[in-house]
Amino acid sequence: MKSQETMLCCLMLFLATECSHYRSKVSIKDGDKHQHPEGKLKTGTIQEKCRGPCLTASNCSQPCAQHFRGEIGFTCHQNKWQKSTETCTSLSAETFFKDFNSALRLSVAAASVPLYVLDFRAPEPLESVAQGIRRNCPVDYACIIDVVKSSEATSGNIAFIVELLRNISTDLSDNVTPEKMKSYSEVANHILDTAAISNWAFIPDKNTSSDFLQSMNLFARQLHIHEDSENIADELFIQTKGFHINNDTSEKKFNFSTSMNNMTEGLIGMIEIPRQELWKLPPNASQAISIAFPTLGAILREVHLPNVSLPRPVNGLVLSVILPERLKQVLLTFEKINKSQNARAQCVGWHSRKRRWDENVCETTLEIMNKVKCQCNYTGMVMSFSILMSPKSVDSKVLDYITCIGLSISIFSLILCLIIEAAVWSRVVVTEISYMRHVCIVNIAVSLLIANVWFIINSNFHKKAQDSNWCVALTFFSHLFYLSLFFWMFFKALLIVYGILVVFRRMMKTRMMAIGFAIGYGCPLVIAGTTVAITVPEKGYMRPDACWLNWDNTKALLAFAIPALVIVAVNLAVVLVVAVNTQRPSIGSSKAQDLAIIMRISKNVAILTPLLGLTWGFGIATLIEGTSLIFHIIFALLNAFQVSSKRETYFY
């Protein structure tokens, strides 16, 4: 017995010597010591930048400040050292249970805590942290709260606490009481503080935030509540509620109101279990648990595919719900953090295995200016829900009215244009050039008319059917005929250049027709078909919220945007060529003739601009994230009403 005590004392002495020796090697600069206002969360250490030349993509590391183990990693970006990772931690095996007997001082680190997180220079721990908690505070875990709250929320400490919570959720989940859940929430609340959000980004393991949410849900799943309705935890950055349910229970609702970023009013969230879902339960009592996180949306980091241009900002609370297995559907209401009219919302659920937001499990049933209602499917893999913000979407009744009225006028003008063409055809196609010019006009009108019809069908296509082949067909034909519109405009521009520059030699009508149809319909068919063939197998052809080309996943929208913008640029050059050539006065021309030429130039530009689609250049502004609504209105006006100008082409 004495020999065991002697060995234990030696082991403690060795540990103290090693820790002292390690700390003596850390060079402390002036200003490294931290002074924090009393009562405020301590969020990290002051680090020294790397010394030496900063070369692109080079890395370096510096030791943490005094009383911290780990290091701070830097990456050279734009000739400046920028912090990339941090493992500074003041928490270790010896910081917990230090006021208890000496034997426990070496037995609190979980066996599953990675060494790169602990940086614990000691022999392998004798017992797990779960055993230490079970021995010293088995009722409510209160013995670890003070140590956690007194620690600074550095990246290393956050990672340590997340690993600690994960160990508790796996090793101490056999009898979870409301008291234990409250202590568990107090520990979690410390690393969810708004002041700690930025430090989550420097944790080397990018799955830490997802592991944290999964641990919270796993621990809450084992909770057994006592009363019919309980407010289990009411921390600033985490709230937990629960109640009993059975097949006779009326509709149940979880109502949350939590503060965020010192908001004067709470951020509201609600979870509702529909009555038809409760009918599925047996007569004996079951329970429902829900957790609200106001800051977790800013912390969660998705694991993206290589071609996904995210992250996507969360615009509301993150709400977790733990229900009996028979229940498969919940209704959720979220209040938006960003209440701008441009901030459209998308209901999503967090897939714990994929570690990313899943749009397919939720459907938006109602969206007003500041609130969103969602209907979501609940599974073992998807227990947490929120709303994502789409800043590129524009929601304006003015824009809707302009589009609706403009589209109606556009379709009427196109039909009138084709009727006029049929009536005057024999009198206007007197030469090869005039014949092909009117062929272009007819095909431009037909392409835009069909594209407008497909647009109307797309707008009224039900959202639930977007995964079907019908949505693929709608997207394909919309893409095809909008491209045909541009390519016929492009051929019209080439025809104008041909008429001005080639005077003595004319091409045969049949050859010109073949070239026109090859450009007008052949090129769009190749582009649209190639886009389908490449993106459909990857399920990245369509947008998740509309039957139109995808942008976020595969950039399929570029198959429309690039040809359109290139043609707009070419047509602009054609306008300049026309202007230069028509201003050359004939020999012996008078001032009256020069004035007539100037008038003709103005008329050419005024007609060619809408006819050749130069107004579509305003579409560039609408593709930029956060674009003002005025650019969308101008673009909608110019494109919706440009068709009426085509009737003026007969005077050209």
Side-chain angles (χ1 to χ4, degrees):
M1 186 70 180
K2 292 183 179 180
S3 60
Q4 291 180 351
E5 292 179 356
T6 303
M7 291 177 62
L8 181 60
C9 291
C10 293
L11 185 59
M12 292 173 59
L13 181 61
F14 172 77
L15 174 63
T17 305
E18 283 294 308
C19 291
S20 175
H21 175 67
Y22 174 76
R23 290 173 182 170
S24 66
K25 290 196 255 184
V26 179
S27 59
I28 307 300
K29 307 292 181 182
D30 293 338
D32 278 347
K33 296 180 180 180
H34 311 288
Q35 297 178 357
H36 298 278
E38 193 67 30
K40 292 187 178 180
L41 179 69
K42 304 173 184 179
T43 58
T45 59
I46 301 173
Q47 68 277 355
E48 189 76 18
K49 291 289 190 298
C50 289
R51 297 179 180 178
C54 179
L55 303 177
T56 303
S58 58
N59 301 301
C60 75
S61 61
Q62 290 288 305
C64 299
Q66 190 178 17
H67 307 304
F68 287 89
R69 290 186 294 275
E71 62 181 17
I72 305 169
F74 295 88
T75 301
C76 183
H77 181 68
Q78 295 181 349
N79 297 324
K80 292 182 179 179
W81 289 112
Q82 295 184 1
K83 186 168 75 169
S84 56
T85 60
E86 179 191 317
T87 59
C88 300
T89 176
S90 59
L91 298 174
S92 65
E94 59 183 355
T95 57
F96 289 96
F97 314 115
K98 60 183 178 181
D99 295 329
F100 294 94
N101 60 74
S102 59
L104 287 175
R105 295 179 63 184
L106 299 177
S107 64
V108 295
S112 60
V113 175
L115 289 178
Y116 71 85
V117 173
L118 290 175
D119 193 25
F120 184 60
R121 301 192 172 208
E124 185 176 353
L126 303 179
E127 297 178 9
S128 69
V129 67
Q131 292 173 330
I133 293 175
R134 186 180 287 113
R135 181 176 300 178
N136 294 288
C137 50
V139 177
D140 56 4
Y141 308 158
C143 59
I144 64 172
I145 293 177
D146 290 339
V147 176
V148 170
K149 285 186 174 181
S150 63
S151 65
E152 298 187 17
T154 61
S155 301
N157 280 346
I158 292 173
F160 187 98
I161 293 171
V162 169
E163 191 67 26
L164 176 64
L165 292 174
R166 188 166 73 168
N167 290 334
I168 293 175
S169 65
T170 55
D171 296 340
L172 297 177
S173 59
D174 50 346
N175 183 26
V176 179
T177 62
E179 292 75 21
K180 292 179 180 179
M181 188 69 200
K182 181 174 176 56
S183 298
Y184 194 92
S185 299
E186 284 189 61
V187 174
N189 183 74
H190 179 70
I191 58 177
L192 291 173
D193 195 296
T194 51
I197 292 177
S198 59
N199 287 340
W200 282 81
F202 301 112
I203 300 175
D205 185 0
K206 303 307 177 185
N207 296 329
T208 301
S209 57
S210 179
D211 291 340
F212 167 79
L213 179 57
Q214 190 171 0
S215 299
M216 289 293 307
N217 292 340
L218 178 62
F219 194 74
R221 182 186 286 277
Q222 305 302 321
L223 173 63
H224 299 284
I225 58 177
H226 305 315
E227 301 175 7
D228 182 53
S229 180
E230 290 191 32
N231 290 323
I232 301 167
D234 191 14
E235 301 295 326
L236 189 59
F237 303 105
I238 181 172
Q239 290 185 10
T240 305
K241 297 183 179 183
F243 47 65
H244 290 287
I245 54 176
N246 56 43
N247 58 1
D248 291 330
T249 307
S250 60
E251 292 184 353
K252 282 291 188 176
K253 297 180 181 179
F254 292 100
N255 292 291
F256 294 98
S257 179
T258 63
S259 300
M260 181 177 178
N261 297 330
N262 298 321
M263 295 170 57
T264 54
E265 298 181 358
L267 194 63
I268 297 172
M270 184 179 72
I271 300 175
E272 179 180 353
I273 306 174
R275 183 73 184 94
Q276 59 270 23
E277 287 291 305
L278 293 170
W279 285 340
K280 301 176 183 178
L281 293 175
N284 54 312
S286 301
Q287 62 182 22
I289 312 291
S290 185
I291 313 173
F293 306 91
T295 58
L296 186 57
I299 293 172
L300 276 173
R301 302 188 65 172
E302 296 185 79
V303 178
H304 306 305
L305 299 175
N307 56 357
V308 177
S309 60
L310 298 170
R312 300 169 288 179
V314 174
N315 199 25
L317 295 173
V318 174
L319 298 177
S320 289
V321 58
I322 293 87
L323 302 173
E325 293 183 358
R326 296 189 183 189
L327 304 188
K328 300 298 181 183
Q329 195 173 83
V330 290
L331 304 177
L332 304 104
T333 301
F334 296 95
E335 181 181 1
K336 295 181 180 179
I337 298 173
N338 183 345
K339 297 177 175 59
S340 169
Q341 63 177 357
N342 293 342
R344 295 292 303 276
Q346 184 177 32
C347 300
V348 290
W350 182 263
H351 198 291
S352 59
R353 181 176 297 170
K354 296 180 180 177
R355 300 180 186 270
R356 64 191 307 267
W357 293 111
D358 190 347
E359 305 92 346
N360 298 322
V361 299
C362 291
E363 179 183 356
T364 304
T365 57
L366 177 66
E367 180 177 1
I368 55 178
M369 188 172 132
N370 62 338
K371 288 186 180 179
V372 180
K373 289 190 175 182
C374 308
Q375 180 176 318
C376 298
N377 296 324
Y378 170 84
T379 66
M381 290 292 102
V382 182
M383 295 187 291
S384 303
F385 308 91
S386 189
I387 53 173
L388 300 182
M389 183 173 61
S390 178
K392 293 182 287 186
S393 299
V394 177
D395 186 15
S396 172
K397 291 184 178 180
V398 175
L399 189 59
D400 292 339
Y401 288 141
I402 291 174
T403 303
C404 183
I405 295 172
L407 198 61
S408 301
I409 296 175
S410 175
I411 292 175
F412 173 78
S413 300
L414 287 167
I415 295 174
L416 183 60
C417 176
L418 293 174
I419 293 174
I420 295 174
E421 276 287 348
V424 302
W425 183 265
S426 59
R427 285 175 288 176
V428 296
V429 292
V430 293
T431 65
E432 289 84 353
I433 295 296
S434 63
Y435 179 86
M436 290 306 304
R437 184 169 64 215
H438 285 278
V439 168
C440 288
I441 292 172
V442 170
N443 282 281
I444 287 172
V446 169
S447 297
L448 187 54
L449 178 61
I450 297 175
N452 285 343
V453 172
W454 282 111
F455 179 84
I456 294 173
I457 297 174
N458 276 343
S459 301
N460 293 278
F461 196 65
H462 199 271
K463 184 177 179 181
K464 286 185 178 179
Q466 286 176 6
D467 293 332
S468 68
N469 293 330
W470 281 106
C471 191
V472 175
L474 287 171
T475 306
F476 173 78
F477 284 112
S478 296
H479 186 202
L480 174 64
F481 284 103
Y482 274 120
L483 281 179
S484 296
L485 165 68
F486 278 97
F487 275 94
W488 274 110
M489 290 177 179
F490 174 63
F491 182 70
K492 172 70 174 175
L494 296 180
L495 195 64
I496 293 173
V497 173
Y498 175 77
I500 293 174
L501 300 182
V502 181
V503 180
F504 300 105
R505 186 177 179 181
R506 294 298 180 188
M507 190 182 299
M508 293 178 62
K509 185 189 299 184
T510 54
R511 182 177 296 180
M512 294 175 69
M513 286 281 289
I515 295 174
F517 278 86
I519 293 176
Y521 293 116
C523 293
L525 185 60
V526 171
I527 295 174
T530 303
T531 306
V532 170
I534 293 176
T535 58
V536 165
E538 300 179 6
K539 295 183 179 181
Y541 182 54
M542 302 166 297
R543 290 174 52 180
D545 57 343
C547 294
W548 183 234
L549 297 173
N550 188 288
W551 172 255
D552 288 330
N553 295 341
T554 59
K555 300 293 186 294
L557 185 60
L558 292 176
F560 171 74
I562 292 177
L565 296 180
V566 169
I567 290 173
V568 166
V570 171
N571 289 348
L572 179 60
V574 171
V575 171
L576 298 176
V577 171
V578 172
V580 171
N581 281 272
T582 54
Q583 71 179 351
R584 295 174 183 172
S586 304
I587 299 174
S589 63
S590 61
K591 291 183 178 180
Q593 289 176 319
D594 292 341
L595 181 60
I597 292 172
I598 293 173
M599 294 297 295
R600 187 169 60 182
I601 295 171
S602 301
K603 188 174 183 180
N604 289 343
V605 174
I607 294 174
L608 285 174
T609 298
L611 181 62
L612 300 181
L614 297 182
T615 54
W616 286 69
F618 277 92
I620 300 175
T622 65
L623 296 176
I624 301 173
E625 188 171 304
T627 301
S628 173
L629 180 62
I630 189 64
F631 286 97
H632 293 267
I633 294 176
I634 293 174
F635 180 58
L637 280 170
L638 291 175
N639 285 280
F641 295 112
Q642 70 168 329
V643 183
S644 61
S645 68
K646 288 178 171 54
R647 290 174 294 174
E648 303 298 326
T649 59
Y650 307 120
F651 302 100
Y652 168 54

